Amino acid sequence: MLKQFLNKIPRKSPKPDAIDAEEIDHGDDSNGFQCSLGGATFSGRFNVVKRVSSAVFPTSGTEAVDPRMSFKDVSNSQRQNLFLSKLNLCCQVYDFNDHDKNYSQINLKHETLIELVDFISSGSAKFNDVTIAAICKMCASNLFRVFPPKYHSNSMVGEGVDVEEPVFDPAWSHLQMVYDLLLRFVSCNYLDLKLTRKYVDHSFILRLLNLFDSEDPRERDCLKTVLHKIYGKFMVHRPFIRKAVSNIIYRFVFETERHNGIAELLEIFGSVISGFALPLKEEHKIFLLRALISLHKPKSLGIYHQQLTYCIVQFIEKDQTLASGVVRGLLKYWPITNSQKELMFLSELEEVLEMMNMAEFQNVMGPLFRRISSCLNSSHYQVCGIKLYNHLVLGKTKNIEWTNSLIREFIILQHLIM
């Protein structure tokens, strides 16, 4: 009787644990998130990371697409996954010194790289977070490498402009395609720059700049185009690129005197300087007077002198008051025992003087003519001939008053020497 009475009393159901209840409520959430409490948050983030990873490196049956398939053979909905699968395949780097060992894989990768370049060129690629990360990872895997010691030869340390035969990278067939892909990627008009900056960051750019020390002129030429495009498109990175290039120049001038890409870096800055707004920032003037002028110091000046002169002329065209500082810099690094280098200095000095106004010229007239008097005593027939004066006297400059002043100073100087 008592037992029957107790059975009729309603019993209170036990309260489930908080986390268990959340898991039950959200167990079949299509977004994969669990809850915002404790371990459930970590579980939700882990599921997201798992999905992103499987997209970049497809492993599951539904998302995996054979990278050997052509873009024409898959549906539009699968093309993005195939694009990611092909990028993943191209992350593998092969040893080209033993080409026969991985012949089939090397050919497959080359064909895949061609497909990737064509796919991006066609405008079919969608550059979302996952895709941009995969592209940057593939480029980094192939391009960013440490050059073997043989790359750092003494070819740039000689007194003349003659250098050793260039060293061509055996993996260039792959590297060229990767550079082409990277260039087309950063050149895309519909690229989300804010999103891309997460991956094309300072670290990526710095490692890209380090590649300018490659001995392969083809690689340096590609780097020149890619870096110029990055500089033009990512305005937020411009100060960092200028600072990084300055550091490369300082290291080259004052530490190693060995670098293969100074001429290419100066070519880039030749066009960059022409785009500087007026009045020039103090940072730009410092770059001229400290970095560019110091490049006259190394013995290998002849390799990049043409590009260096162009950069300096661009600066003076922007601001003529910089001319006197340039002349002082030339006098500071003037070569004493290297006649070939001295001729380069005289040639550059000629261009600077033609752009100089009279007031600036008078500021450097004294030390300039003292240096010219030393040139008159040179044993080298071209240096002692001072073709600089011949050009000026023959009417290279349109400033008649300036030309007459130079002639008078030249006559006085001749009397002092005699």
Side-chain angles (χ1 to χ4, degrees), residues 163-362:
V163 296
E164 295 176 359
E165 287 292 325
V167 177
F168 297 108
D169 197 310
W172 178 245
S173 60
H174 284 185
L175 293 174
Q176 182 182 21
M177 300 307 301
V178 176
Y179 277 117
D180 194 11
L181 186 147
L182 179 59
L183 178 61
R184 292 174 189 272
F185 166 63
V186 297
S187 301
C188 280
N189 295 326
Y190 55 91
L191 187 65
D192 187 340
L193 299 182
K194 187 175 181 181
L195 185 61
T196 308
R197 286 203 306 265
K198 290 170 56 180
Y199 304 99
V200 183
D201 55 5
H202 288 179
S203 175
F204 187 93
I205 292 172
L206 194 60
R207 296 173 75 183
L208 205 62
L209 284 168
N210 290 336
L211 294 175
F212 274 91
D213 203 16
S214 168
E215 281 199 3
D216 194 328
R218 302 170 299 180
E219 181 168 16
R220 298 198 303 269
D221 194 56
C222 287
L223 281 164
K224 181 177 63 178
T225 308
V226 171
L227 184 65
H228 190 270
K229 179 62 69 174
I230 291 175
Y231 186 93
K233 199 153 191 175
F234 297 87
M235 294 182 65
V236 69
H237 290 325
R238 290 181 183 180
F240 175 80
I241 293 174
R242 291 195 296 267
K243 184 177 180 181
V245 171
S246 296
N247 291 336
I248 290 174
I249 292 174
Y250 295 143
R251 194 178 304 115
F252 164 65
V253 172
F254 300 108
E255 293 180 16
T256 64
E257 285 202 15
R258 296 182 181 184
H259 198 285
N260 296 302
I262 298 298
E264 286 78 9
L265 289 171
L266 290 175
E267 277 188 53
I268 296 171
F269 268 79
S271 59
V272 168
I273 293 165
S274 64
F276 284 163
L278 295 175
L280 289 175
K281 295 179 181 178
E282 192 64 25
E283 170 206 346
H284 302 329
K285 296 179 182 179
I286 290 173
F287 177 74
L288 166 66
L289 299 176
R290 293 184 183 176
L292 294 185
I293 294 299
S294 68
L295 280 171
H296 291 86
K297 180 177 180 287
K299 295 177 180 178
S300 55
L301 172 66
I303 295 173
Y304 54 83
H305 182 253
Q306 182 180 352
Q307 293 87 348
L308 177 59
T309 302
Y310 180 77
C311 288
I312 289 175
V313 167
Q314 289 292 308
F315 264 113
I316 298 175
E317 283 183 353
K318 291 281 182 181
D319 185 355
Q320 289 191 356
T321 61
L322 296 171
S324 58
V326 170
V327 172
R328 291 191 187 94
L330 288 172
L331 296 176
K332 177 182 178 182
Y333 293 107
W334 198 277
I336 305 300
T337 58
N338 189 334
S339 298
Q340 291 298 325
K341 194 174 176 182
E342 202 164 7
L343 286 173
M344 295 179 207
F345 274 59
L346 287 169
S347 174
E348 185 176 345
L349 187 61
E350 174 192 347
E351 293 196 41
V352 173
L353 288 175
E354 286 186 358
M355 302 172 66
M356 217 173 181
N357 58 44
M358 196 61 186
E360 290 294 316
F361 174 73
Q362 288 174 345

Side-chain angles (χ1 to χ4, degrees), residues 44-107:
R45 290 177 181 172
F46 179 75
N47 289 339
V48 174
V49 172
K50 245 170 81 174
R51 287 201 309 279
V52 170
S53 300
S54 63
V56 180
F57 309 106
T59 54
S60 63
T62 55
E63 293 183 345
V65 183
D66 188 349
R68 292 172 294 183
M69 294 181 66
S70 171
F71 284 107
K72 298 177 182 178
D73 298 334
V74 298
S75 62
N76 291 335
S77 60
Q78 287 184 309
R79 284 187 177 182
Q80 198 68 8
N81 284 338
L82 178 59
F83 181 53
L84 293 167
S85 296
K86 289 181 180 290
L87 286 170
N88 182 33
L89 182 146
C90 292
C91 287
Q92 180 66 40
V93 179
Y94 299 100
D95 182 10
F96 276 74
N97 293 318
D98 190 3
H99 190 275
D100 296 333
K101 184 179 178 180
N102 302 304
Y103 180 77
S104 59
Q105 292 92 333
I106 288 174
N107 282 346

Side-chain angles (χ1 to χ4, degrees), residues 3-64:
K3 189 175 182 181
Q4 291 177 357
F5 177 76
L6 291 174
N7 287 335
K8 292 179 180 180
I9 299 175
R11 294 182 181 180
K12 189 176 181 181
S13 60
K15 185 177 181 180
D17 183 75
I19 295 179
D20 293 337
E22 292 289 347
E23 289 176 351
I24 293 168
D25 292 340
H26 301 277
D28 54 354
D29 189 348
S30 60
N31 290 329
F33 288 98
Q34 299 292 328
C35 74
S36 58
L37 297 176
T41 303
F42 176 80
S43 177
R45 290 177 181 172
F46 179 75
N47 289 339
V48 174
V49 172
K50 245 170 81 174
R51 287 201 309 279
V52 170
S53 300
S54 63
V56 180
F57 309 106
T59 54
S60 63
T62 55
E63 293 183 345

